Amino acid sequence: QVQLVESGGGLVQAGGSLRLSCATSGRTSSSYAMGWFRQAPGKEREFVASIRWNSGSSFYADSVKGRFTMPRDNAKNTLYLQMNSLKPDDTAVYYCAAGPTLGTTPQDFTSWGQGTQVTVSS
């Protein structure tokens, strides 16, 4: 069982940057995968990015590729979502997730954080 705690959301102007944190605890394996999703009002949960922890193999949605990255801190068991060149369309509640395999859909993940709000003003 993996517990996830997110932080780092807030209000930022278009073109700015934010870094979200997802701290993990509980029982994990070195090969588990993590992902980021977001959900805006009236929309379904949308894939943002995912990563296999031990190897760093990753996949990014086309909408964020080149703007978002996923630094890791192994000592702190923390995954970050570094968001640069933010756009108003990035406004959403962001969720981190964990699962046994690298995937791009919510069904691929079995543990979820509580979500953190990101608002990008124009």
Side-chain angles (χ1 to χ4, degrees):
Q1 180 68 40
V2 179
Q3 292 82 48
L4 309 174
V5 179
E6 299 164 343
S7 61
L11 175 65
V12 65
Q13 291 181 318
S17 298
L18 281 175
R19 189 179 74 168
L20 306 183
S21 299
C22 180
T24 68
S25 62
R27 189 172 182 177
T28 62
S29 68
S30 61
S31 61
Y32 73 96
M34 297 186 67
W36 290 95
F37 292 80
R38 64 188 183 186
Q39 189 165 19
K43 296 185 178 180
E44 295 184 352
R45 191 161 295 189
E46 176 189 21
F47 169 75
V48 176
S50 59
I51 186 169
R52 192 170 67 185
W53 186 262
N54 64 341
S55 70
S57 298
S58 60
F59 187 83
Y60 292 84
D62 288 341
S63 60
V64 306
K65 192 175 297 182
R67 299 188 297 122
F68 292 8
T69 59
M70 288 182 288
R72 294 172 293 167
D73 189 330
N74 290 335
K76 297 181 179 179
N77 292 317
T78 298
L79 177 71
Y80 303 94
L81 184 66
Q82 179 65 48
M83 304 184 293
N84 301 320
S85 301
L86 282 162
K87 306 174 181 179
D89 286 347
D90 296 319
T91 296
V93 176
Y94 283 70
Y95 300 88
C96 65
T101 59
L102 186 65
T104 59
T105 67
Q107 296 92 323
D108 295 319
F109 298 88
T110 56
S111 299
W112 293 84
Q114 81 285 355
T116 185
Q117 176 71 47
V118 172
T119 302
V120 184
S121 64
S122 60

